[in-house]
Amino acid sequence: MYDFDKIIDRSGTDTFKFDLREKVFNKRDVIPLWVADMDFAAPPAVVEAVKRRAEHPVYGYTLRPESFNISIKNWLKRRHDWDVDTSWISFTPGVVPALALSLLAFSDPGDGIIIQPPVYPPFHSIVTDNDRELVYNPLVMSDGKYRINFEELERLASKKENKILVFSSPHNPVGRLWSKEELTRLGEICFRHKVLVLSDEIHSDLAVYGNRHIPFASISKEFANGSITFMAPSKTFNIAGFGTSYIVCENSDLREKFKHILNGLHLNMGTLFSGVILEAAYDHGADWLDAMLKYIEGNIDFVHDFTESELPGITFTKPEATYLLWLDFRELGWDQDKLNSFLINKANVGFNNGILFGKEEGKGFMRMNVGSSRVVIQKAMENIKKALDKEIKG
Ligand SMILES: Cc1ncc(COP(=O)(O)O)c(C=O)c1O
């Protein structure tokens, strides 16, 4: 019903992933498997809704009707079995801007903000760009899985200058979908020390292989009170270009403080498409999403089997959520510059450099985006194999 095999030429649409290749990789034709959007057409219902609205030729200031909040409420109930009240929801013009606004609302310059690398690069930059201090609690690997270092988190959270934890759930780039036990332990530590949890759940709809996401705030009243949840249909339905997202926050003090900053900067309007696309996606996009996730599982399986059989020295643990793979090249024993240059110049593939997710934690790693047609993924892997054979055999 949906053709994810179809290759859609995106170049020339001023898209980051394709049209920034020259600037980022110094090479115009690398297979672009970096920025986290997918090469698939959006769900037909979204395309139709955009066309319908675009056909009306007046594009003035536009409100989001109450049906916007109701679509979110219904989606969170259906998809995550989470009961939220529509009054807890506030539109935001992107998750990263909303996280940055929260730092302004709930901390002061110089305060410590805890993040858990390797993690999404803007988690680092929103802290330093806003004159707060980065405090690292690196994830640790055990039994082939990344895990939270709870002892270190307790130590860091207990310092009075550390005010906020910016939490990636599911975690970009390692693909962990945190269990109820992990979420509970993390929350108990943070709340014991009055550390506010900003739970970025933008990847929550992208659980694969039958895994289920648990919204942090759904765990208990205490968790809802001590956190803000950040969500969006953007990753889920491949509509990131519209910059539509929202927070869910049951604690009215936190919510009002957040809105004070959002409204004070006049960032609450959004574009005229913000309501249209969210409602179309949440109300009519579920079948597309299920089909897309099956396709992604096929891509992940393909890369997994290929690396196991053809690429000794490259490994990864299958993600529990997201279309992002955190590839481990450490067995090759190369430094990061050699690895980066090899992938771009010899294999002609464009991945995200691991060190952008954590200077130390990302060494020897690259993030690969498998949100593309199977043949594109196959070609990238074959390119790596050919280049590696040549490099190793000389
Ligand atoms: C963890 C995480 N948060 C936020 C974003 C981006 O959110 P937005 O485009 O709504 O600012 C991404 C995109 O890759 C992400 O991975």
Side-chain angles (χ1 to χ4, degrees), residues 30-277:
V30 286
I31 301 176
L33 302 175
W34 58 302
V35 171
D37 66 26
M38 302 183 281
D39 298 330
F40 308 137
V46 175
V47 176
E48 274 316 304
V50 170
K51 279 188 189 159
R52 216 176 308 126
R53 179 62 190 87
E55 264 165 20
H56 190 292
V58 183
Y59 305 133
Y61 297 121
T62 305
L63 53 80
R64 279 173 303 279
E66 184 55 16
S67 49
F68 176 86
N69 294 327
I70 292 169
S71 284
I72 294 172
K73 176 186 166 67
N74 290 341
W75 178 258
L76 296 179
K77 178 65 186 165
R78 282 201 308 272
R79 215 66 200 181
H80 301 298
D81 198 21
W82 186 22
D83 285 303
V84 310
D85 193 281
T86 51
S87 66
W88 305 348
I89 298 167
S90 169
F91 166 81
T92 57
V95 166
V96 174
L99 289 169
L101 291 172
S102 304
L103 297 189
L104 299 179
F106 305 111
S107 67
D108 293 309
D111 282 348
I113 311 295
I114 305 170
I115 65 169
Q116 308 195 99
V119 73
Y120 180 53
F123 276 31
H124 303 245
S125 56
I126 53 168
V127 175
T128 50
D129 288 348
N130 289 293
D131 307 316
R132 273 63 174 166
E133 292 296 319
L134 270 172
V135 177
Y136 294 125
N137 180 39
L139 298 179
V140 287
M141 177 64 115
S142 84
D143 300 330
K145 260 191 176 186
Y146 278 96
R147 295 172 202 274
I148 294 165
N149 185 340
F150 290 109
E151 289 71 29
E152 182 62 3
L153 181 63
E154 179 99 48
R155 193 182 73 75
L156 296 172
S158 71
K159 295 189 171 183
K160 68 175 182 342
E161 64 273 23
N162 296 336
K163 301 283 171 50
I164 293 176
L165 169 74
V166 187
F167 184 43
S168 184
S169 175
H171 192 103
N172 171 9
V174 306
R176 272 305 313 281
L177 198 139
W178 306 112
S179 68
K180 187 160 186 189
E181 290 66 38
E182 289 169 307
L183 295 172
T184 304
R185 208 166 155 197
L186 180 133
E188 283 169 355
I189 291 172
C190 288
F191 305 143
R192 190 157 44 242
H193 300 291
K194 301 201 168 22
V195 167
L196 173 67
V197 178
L198 304 181
S199 190
D200 177 345
E201 304 187 15
I202 195 169
H203 294 281
S204 56
D205 299 321
L206 299 174
V208 282
Y209 302 115
N211 288 298
R212 277 191 76 87
H213 171 77
I214 303 170
F216 182 79
S218 73
I219 289 190
S220 72
K221 188 85 182 159
E222 188 191 15
F223 279 58
N225 247 322
S227 68
I228 303 178
T229 305
F230 300 76
M231 289 181 154
S234 52
K235 301 282 154 195
T236 315
F237 297 102
N238 206 30
I239 50 178
F242 286 110
T244 287
S245 61
Y246 55 93
I247 61 157
V248 181
C249 182
E250 183 172 352
N251 180 327
S252 57
D253 280 351
L254 292 178
R255 197 170 64 237
E256 289 315 314
K257 274 194 188 134
F258 177 86
K259 281 189 175 173
H260 180 70
I261 299 283
L262 180 80
N263 297 344
L265 292 167
H266 293 254
L267 289 171
N268 51 340
M269 174 109 62
T271 73
L272 88 167
F273 286 109
S274 59
V276 167
I277 50 116

Side-chain angles (χ1 to χ4, degrees), residues 326-358:
W326 186 236
L327 300 182
D328 183 349
F329 293 82
R330 287 175 301 174
E331 269 180 42
L332 295 175
W334 299 348
D335 68 29
Q336 198 71 12
D337 285 344
K338 175 168 177 177
L339 174 59
N340 199 38
S341 167
F342 166 81
L343 290 167
I344 297 167
N345 299 310
K346 301 202 171 150
N348 207 35
V349 294
F351 294 158
N352 287 94
N353 194 332
I355 56 172
L356 300 174
F357 298 80

